[in-house]
């Protein structure tokens, strides 16, 4: 464990992590991700101007998409993540759950990336989110989302421990995959320099589904599946991919 003589407090996912999320994710190339999103979106749409990120987190992807010239806005269910996003981004950013978020106008593209859909606990929530994206989009608009796959959990994140320190905090991250419940569990202990007497503990549960299960859920909506890509490529996504990007058209 990280420290002795400090009190452990259990808090909601991302409530303590938010402040150091960008440090924890500094290995992620959001510019590359934004370029990839633009590439696969342009492949399937002639008109792409406005984008809403349904799980924008601290706004890193929104920032890159904005720099590519798109009109961007974002929401996220974590108020703490939104607080950071608002500091980074001059764009409409609000707190909302992707299962029933409303938008002021109908965007050309909705995105939900970096495992965010894996957080949806059950099929009902998945269908709610898919149908909600459909309802907010313009006619012929796209919904692009990704999933982290079973292959990724079984082979890459089966057991993983990380300890890091930033200027603000020290954290411990332990990951394991519960095969019976198909849950990827990421457990964090975070201790901020400003409150060394407390260790914040967060347990993140991601439901890991087969690509086939996702395809089955998409079939239950009015969306047309126009793309299913492996990782950051244009190769077809499969159960062997670590990450799959889906492109749905209204
Ligand atoms: C791994 S983070 C990814 C954040 C961001 N997309 C990025 O690339 O950095 C997952 C995000 O999904 C958000 N999230 C989880 N469930 C959500 C829901 N039902 N509605 C909206 N956001 C949700 C979390 O609050 C968190 O910010």
């Amino acid at each position: 464990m990280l420290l002795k003589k400090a009190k452990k407090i259990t808090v909601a996912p991302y409530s303590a992590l938010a402040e150091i999320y960008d440090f924890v994710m500094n290995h992620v190339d959001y510019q590359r991700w934004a370029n990839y999103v633009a590439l696969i979106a342009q492949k399937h749409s002639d008109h792409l101007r406005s984008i809403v990120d349904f799980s924008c987190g601290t706004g890193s992807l929104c920032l890159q998409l904005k720099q590519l010239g798109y009109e961007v806005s974002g929401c996220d269910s974590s108020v703490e993540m939104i607080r950071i996003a608002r500091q980074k981004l001059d764009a409409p950013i609000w707190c909302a759950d992707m299962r029933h978020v409303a938008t002021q106008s109908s965007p050309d593209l909705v995105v939900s990336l970096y495992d965010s859909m894996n957080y949806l606990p059950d099929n009902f929530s998945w269908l709610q989110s898919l149908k909600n994206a459909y309802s907010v989009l313009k006619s012929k608009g796209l919904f692009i989302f990704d999933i982290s796959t079973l292959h990724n959990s079984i082979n890459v994140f089966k057991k993983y421990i990380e300890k890091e320190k930033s200027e603000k905090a020290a954290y411990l991250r332990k990951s394991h995959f519960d095969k019976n419940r198909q849950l990827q569990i990421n457990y964090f202990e975070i201790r901020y320099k400003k409150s060394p007497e407390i260790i914040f503990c967060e347990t993140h549960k991601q439901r890991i589904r087969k690509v086939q299960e996702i395809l089955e859920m998409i079939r239950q909506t009015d969306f047309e599946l126009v793309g299913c890509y492996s990782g950051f490529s244009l190769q077809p996504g499969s159960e062997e991919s670590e990450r799959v990007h889906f492109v749905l058209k209204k």
Side-chain angles (χ1 to χ4, degrees):
M1 295 296 99
L2 267 181
L3 297 159
K4 292 166 202 152
K5 293 185 195 158
K7 189 177 174 187
K8 286 189 183 176
I9 296 183
T10 302
V11 293
Y14 294 104
S15 56
L17 184 63
E19 234 182 293
I20 53 160
Y21 181 82
D22 288 350
F23 172 76
V24 176
M25 296 303 159
N26 66 6
H27 60 283
V28 181
D29 188 343
Y30 283 101
Q31 191 178 22
R32 174 180 177 228
W33 214 326
N35 286 335
Y36 179 69
V37 167
L39 174 81
I40 56 176
Q42 283 162 9
K43 188 170 155 64
H44 298 289
S45 169
D46 300 333
H47 182 79
L48 186 59
R49 210 164 59 91
S50 51
I51 305 178
V52 178
D53 187 341
F54 265 15
S55 50
C56 69
T58 58
S60 300
L61 184 82
C62 287
L63 198 62
Q64 294 299 330
L65 289 168
K66 198 168 181 226
Q67 280 171 12
L68 290 178
Y70 298 110
E71 196 182 282
V72 175
S73 58
C75 63
D76 194 281
S77 58
S78 161
V79 69
E80 292 85 2
M81 295 291 266
I82 286 302
R83 195 173 295 136
I84 308 288
R86 283 186 173 153
Q87 290 164 11
K88 282 161 61 177
L89 205 65
D90 181 18
I93 302 283
W94 70 105
C95 191
D97 190 304
M98 68 171 106
R99 287 171 282 196
H100 27 71
V101 56
T103 55
Q104 270 193 336
S105 53
S106 301
D108 302 314
L109 171 65
V110 169
V111 296
S112 177
L113 294 162
Y114 203 3
D115 309 351
S116 303
M117 301 283 284
N118 287 97
Y119 279 84
L120 294 169
D122 48 39
N123 288 8
F124 184 71
S125 303
W126 262 87
L127 282 172
Q128 274 185 310
S129 304
L130 290 169
K131 289 179 179 175
N132 195 45
Y134 187 92
S135 76
V136 305
L137 278 167
K138 261 185 201 152
S139 167
K140 300 198 188 305
L142 299 179
F143 181 29
I144 297 181
F145 66 90
D146 71 336
I147 56 158
S148 174
T149 60
L150 264 179
H151 172 85
N152 200 25
S153 282
I154 292 170
N155 298 297
V156 184
F157 281 106
K158 191 167 55 179
K159 254 195 172 159
Y160 176 78
I161 296 187
E162 179 183 90
K163 265 183 182 179
E164 288 277 357
K165 267 186 189 161
S166 75
E167 278 173 17
K168 283 185 177 175
Y171 75 89
L172 162 79
R173 171 184 173 172
K174 283 188 191 171
S175 299
H176 78 274
F177 181 53
D178 179 339
K179 210 172 175 183
N180 293 330
R181 293 189 297 159
Q182 305 285 88
L183 284 180
Q184 178 69 44
I185 316 269
N186 295 314
Y187 170 75
F188 290 89
E189 288 187 359
I190 305 158
R191 188 191 192 203
Y192 281 95
K193 281 189 183 159
K194 63 185 175 192
S195 54
E197 69 287 1
I198 303 170
I199 296 174
F200 295 99
C201 306
E202 294 188 7
T203 303
H204 296 216
K205 293 182 184 165
Q206 295 182 18
R207 177 61 55 86
I208 309 298
R209 295 161 187 281
K210 287 189 174 159
V211 173
Q212 279 309 320
E213 289 176 66
I214 308 297
L215 295 175
E216 178 48 41
M217 278 187 289
I218 294 168
R219 279 193 280 274
Q220 292 175 47
T221 71
D222 291 327
F223 272 122
E224 180 193 354
L225 174 73
V226 291
C228 173
Y229 300 111
S230 183
F232 294 90
S233 75
L234 295 177
Q235 299 301 314
S238 74
E239 306 293 356
E240 278 70 50
S241 308
E242 286 181 9
R243 177 173 305 286
V244 176
H245 285 92
F246 296 86
V247 186
L248 314 186
K249 191 166 206 162
K250 181 165 177 175

